[in-house]
Amino acid sequence: MEALGITLQQLLTQLVSFLILFFLLYKLAYGPIMGMLDSRAQKIKESLEAAETARLEAASSAERVEAEIAQARVEGQKIVAEARDAASKLREQEQDRAREEVETMLERARTEIGREKDSAVEEVRKEFANLAITAAERIVERSLDAKSHSSLIDKVLEEGLSERKN
Amino acid sequence: MGKLLSSPKLLVIAIAAVAALLVSVAGGALGASFGLGFLGGPIPFISIPAERVAFIGSYPLLNSTIMFWVGGLVLLFVAWRAGRNVKDVPSGWQNLMEMIYEFFSNTVDGVAGGEPKSGRRFLALVSTIFLVVMIINWVGILPGVGSIGRIETIEEWVHHHVEDLEAEVHEEHPDYSPKQVHSIALIHLLEEHGDDTFVAFDGVFVWLGQGEQARVPLRHIVTFEDHELHDLADEVKHGEDISHDPVWERIEHDIHEGVVKEVFTYDLGGPSQTPYDFKGQTAGLLVPYLRGASTDVNTTLAIAIVAMLTVQIWGFRALGVRGYGGKFLVNPISQGPIATFVGVLEGFGELTRTISFTFRLFGNMFAGEILLIAMAFLLPLIGIIPFMGLELFVGVIQAYIFAMLTLVFGVMAVASHGDHDSHAEEH
């Protein structure tokens, strides 16, 4: 012990010095740094959690927007389809009505033509009766052979035709 | 080589380096053999105990204690700068301290089982041991530490040693008067240390050039014959007053004067050398003002005691008095005598760990100090440069070893003894 220089006095000096140093280091550095590191770890954990929440929120809102867009698209398609249906129905109605009108007009024209024809035929018939009567009068007035008979009819017809022409 | 020649700067540096090497070889111990050795200094007296440089009251202040406090102040300064205003975004000193702290935080957790914070109880002591040991190792190799000092005269040297011896003599012979005690102590000192050597120096300047060889044994400074000392001791033991004995008076006078009395020559070797005569020169010891704290056994023993006591405290707190004490005191009847013997061995193991802690650090750092002294002696100027780097490395490695062993012993202490035993009991 003597040769190594170990003395109780010096041993205690170094022991106490070391313990004081330990205590002061703890107070000055370890304590503050330990507390700061813990609080920093806590902060990092919190911000990671907040970021995760924000990410989830963003994802869910994007989903919602997409769903809304899809719904709007479906609705739009429905509206277009409805409009197309209505338009085609309207067109059909218009066509039907136009066809009906045409038919009505045709019908009316046909009726008119028929009536005109009837009246014309009536008139012709009347005329022919008159002519026949006239022809008969003439025949009666004269004795007639067969030949003169037919020439007489032709003459009457010619007269009648020329009269009509005039 | 071509690069060296083409660059004048490199060439100048190379020439300067070669010149420095030549100067240091010629000026050092090698050159001294050929009459050069102009840069040589005396190898300081390598004393294992730290030297006292002053007294504060009756408290002897050792040079190693001063360096312990210097290192402590450096450490406290860094800690204060790092910890006075901790911020979440670290800068400067805080970065450094945080880096060290996180490194040890991860290490202790890793050694203590890998769970985060599982090693936190070890953290403060382990990192303190590392920082303190590293800083005292590093400040201990600063230039000037161990090499700047004063010459302790023979009178001072004798005074300190006689004081220590007086206590021993007083214990052995409580019936002696103080004067008798003093005389016997002085006689013992001369008998034991007659062949100790001292540096001879001329006036205030240490005689340079011969290094360790320039040493004069105590017998040539304080002249005495062994039989004279025997006679004096006998006279003192019989209660005679020897203060006017001519031999005693001569011894006291020689001690007071402290110069080389007898012709003491030393053949320096070499063809042109004449033996050097030290007669009439003052002799003494170089006492460095500063000495690395880890080159003092008191320091390393103190840290080892703190470490091993704390390890025991960890053990008792983790396992309880019965659990931890049961590691060392095993019942020979229920567990068998071999287990008891093993337990006693484990107890001795704690003691030997303390001792191995002490001398591992002390031995490494003291050897480093001697290595630096030897290199400064062999190759002055440049010899110590690579070894300074080596010592910085050794300083941090030893600090790391000390801290890690403390951690490992702590982890072993808190681990319950023989986990397989408790499992066997459960099944």
Side-chain angles (χ1 to χ4, degrees):
Chain A
M1 295 302 232
E2 169 80 14
L4 290 171
I6 300 175
T7 61
L8 192 63
Q9 202 172 28
Q10 292 306 322
L11 191 61
L12 285 178
T13 304
Q14 310 292 51
L15 208 66
V16 170
S17 302
F18 182 81
L19 290 176
I20 291 171
L21 204 52
F22 178 57
F23 176 76
L24 287 179
L25 278 179
Y26 202 95
K27 280 277 157 218
L28 286 175
Y30 301 156
I33 285 180
M34 202 188 291
M36 195 274 310
L37 284 180
D38 282 354
S39 80
R40 185 195 290 165
Q42 186 66 30
K43 254 181 215 170
I44 289 172
K45 205 174 130 208
E46 273 166 17
S47 18
L48 282 178
E49 273 165 10
E52 183 63 23
T53 322
R55 200 182 63 80
L56 287 178
E57 246 167 46
S60 77
S61 69
E63 239 166 56
R64 213 165 50 231
V65 167
E66 214 156 90
E68 266 167 25
I69 288 172
Q71 200 188 335
R73 189 179 294 134
V74 168
E75 259 168 35
Q77 277 168 351
K78 208 165 83 189
I79 290 167
V80 169
E82 268 169 20
R84 201 176 285 143
D85 280 358
S88 68
K89 209 180 280 171
L90 200 68
R91 198 172 59 212
E92 261 167 41
Q93 275 176 358
E94 283 301 304
Q95 279 175 344
D96 284 354
R97 212 174 57 203
R99 197 178 296 132
E100 264 168 36
E101 230 161 70
V102 169
E103 268 168 23
T104 323
M105 279 160 84
L106 275 176
E107 196 64 29
R108 203 182 294 151
R110 227 171 259 144
T111 320
E112 195 87 348
I113 290 166
R115 215 169 38 232
E116 288 285 318
K117 193 180 84 184
D118 284 357
S119 71
V121 167
E122 192 66 26
E123 219 165 282
V124 169
R125 195 181 291 136
K126 255 182 222 167
E127 204 78 18
F128 270 100
N130 285 342
L131 280 173
I133 292 165
T134 311
E137 276 174 357
R138 291 237 183 120
I139 295 161
V140 172
E141 264 174 28
R142 301 168 38 182
S143 64
L144 295 171
D145 56 21
K147 198 183 163 189
S148 57
H149 205 195
S150 66
S151 68
L152 186 67
I153 290 169
D154 289 341
K155 200 175 152 188
V156 172
L157 283 171
E158 254 171 53
E159 273 174 24
L161 283 171
S162 63
E163 251 173 53
R164 275 182 73 101
K165 274 180 188 170
N166 297 329
Chain B
M1 206 60 202
K3 199 179 168 189
L4 198 65
L5 289 174
S6 65
S7 161
K9 239 186 203 167
L10 274 179
L11 194 66
V12 168
I13 291 171
I15 289 171
V18 170
L21 182 68
L22 288 177
V23 166
S24 76
V25 169
L30 278 173
S33 309
F34 303 100
L36 298 166
F38 43 87
L39 283 170
I43 274 206
F45 181 71
I46 294 166
S47 148
I48 293 177
E51 297 90 347
R52 51 197 140 187
V53 290
F55 279 90
I56 303 171
S58 65
Y59 173 79
L61 184 63
L62 299 192
N63 46 14
S64 61
T65 309
I66 297 174
M67 281 318 275
F68 190 92
W69 291 340
V70 168
L73 286 179
V74 170
L75 200 55
L76 286 181
F77 174 75
V78 174
W80 170 69
R81 289 298 301 264
R84 68 179 167 160
N85 185 20
V86 287
K87 293 181 292 272
D88 272 339
V89 181
S91 57
W93 296 100
Q94 193 191 332
N95 253 333
L96 175 76
M97 214 55 188
E98 251 185 50
M99 206 174 72
I100 297 169
Y101 190 87
E102 289 218 36
F103 172 75
F104 274 98
S105 182
N106 293 335
T107 310
V108 294
D109 289 347
V111 174
E115 298 294 315
K117 296 194 181 179
S118 59
R120 185 151 271 196
R121 62 184 142 180
F122 308 122
L123 182 54
L125 186 74
V126 167
S127 44
T128 304
I129 285 178
F130 175 76
L131 288 174
V132 169
V133 173
M134 185 184 74
I135 209 83
I136 63 174
N137 287 349
W138 279 3
V139 295
I141 57 173
L142 288 173
V145 177
S147 54
I148 296 177
R150 66 187 182 88
I151 300 294
E152 192 180 69
T153 61
I154 298 296
E155 193 173 21
E156 284 175 290
W157 183 83
V158 167
H159 178 72
H160 293 320
H161 281 261
V162 164
E163 252 183 14
D164 292 341
L165 282 172
E166 274 175 352
E168 279 177 33
V169 174
H170 184 68
E171 258 177 50
E172 273 179 49
H173 307 281
D175 51 319
Y176 282 3
S177 70
K179 204 167 181 183
Q180 273 176 307
V181 169
H182 175 79
S183 307
I184 291 287
L186 181 55
I187 290 164
H188 279 333
L189 180 71
L190 292 177
E191 279 173 344
E192 277 177 41
H193 295 274
D195 294 319
D196 280 17
T197 55
F198 293 85
V199 177
F201 60 100
D202 200 0
V204 288
F205 297 106
V206 175
W207 185 79
L208 298 177
Q210 301 312 317
E212 195 185 19
Q213 298 154 345
R215 289 187 166 277
V216 184
L218 185 61
R219 282 174 190 284
H220 295 267
I221 303 159
V222 182
T223 50
F224 57 86
E225 300 290 334
D226 285 344
H227 66 86
E228 288 175 344
L229 289 181
H230 270 290
D231 294 346
L232 282 173
D234 283 343
E235 282 174 37
V236 173
K237 276 172 191 163
H238 292 113
E240 288 171 34
D241 183 15
I242 56 160
S243 54
H244 297 297
D245 188 294
V247 178
W248 186 254
E249 277 182 344
R250 192 184 73 224
I251 288 174
E252 286 199 318
H253 174 77
D254 285 353
I255 289 171
H256 179 69
E257 218 174 30
V259 298
V260 182
K261 283 288 173 335
E262 289 177 11
V263 176
F264 179 74
T265 57
Y266 190 85
D267 186 358
L268 298 170
S272 63
Q273 292 295 308
T274 49
Y276 196 91
D277 183 7
F278 292 95
K279 192 177 179 185
Q281 289 196 345
T282 317
L285 277 180
L286 180 68
V287 177
Y289 288 128
L290 302 171
R291 167 173 172 151
S294 44
T295 64
D296 179 1
V297 189
N298 289 308
T299 313
T300 59
L301 183 60
I303 301 174
I305 286 172
V306 170
M308 288 316 289
L309 278 184
T310 316
V311 165
Q312 312 312 316
I313 292 169
W314 286 332
F316 278 118
R317 280 175 71 172
L319 303 177
V321 174
R322 280 184 63 85
Y324 188 67
K327 284 187 175 186
F328 307 114
L329 300 171
V330 183
N331 188 343
I333 295 158
S334 63
Q335 303 279 322
I338 294 172
T340 307
F341 184 63
V342 170
V344 171
L345 277 189
E346 286 213 30
F348 272 112
E350 300 297 307
L351 205 64
T352 49
R353 279 170 185 174
T354 315
I355 296 168
S356 74
F357 259 146
T358 306
F359 287 101
R360 184 182 304 108
L361 180 58
F362 167 74
N364 272 286
M365 298 322 293
F366 192 63
E369 189 69 29
I370 293 170
L371 176 68
L372 290 184
I373 290 168
M375 288 318 294
F377 172 66
L378 289 171
L379 288 176
L381 298 183
I382 62 165
I384 64 165
I385 294 169
F387 292 96
M388 281 275 200
L390 179 75
E391 283 309 303
L392 281 176
F393 179 69
V394 170
V396 71
I397 286 294
Q398 287 303 320
Y400 186 71
I401 289 172
F402 207 123
M404 283 302 105
L405 283 178
T406 308
L407 174 60
V408 170
F409 293 155
V411 171
M412 279 160 69
V414 300
S416 62
H417 176 54
D419 274 338
H420 54 277
D421 286 353
S422 53
H423 280 297
E425 278 163 28
E426 278 167 25
H427 290 312

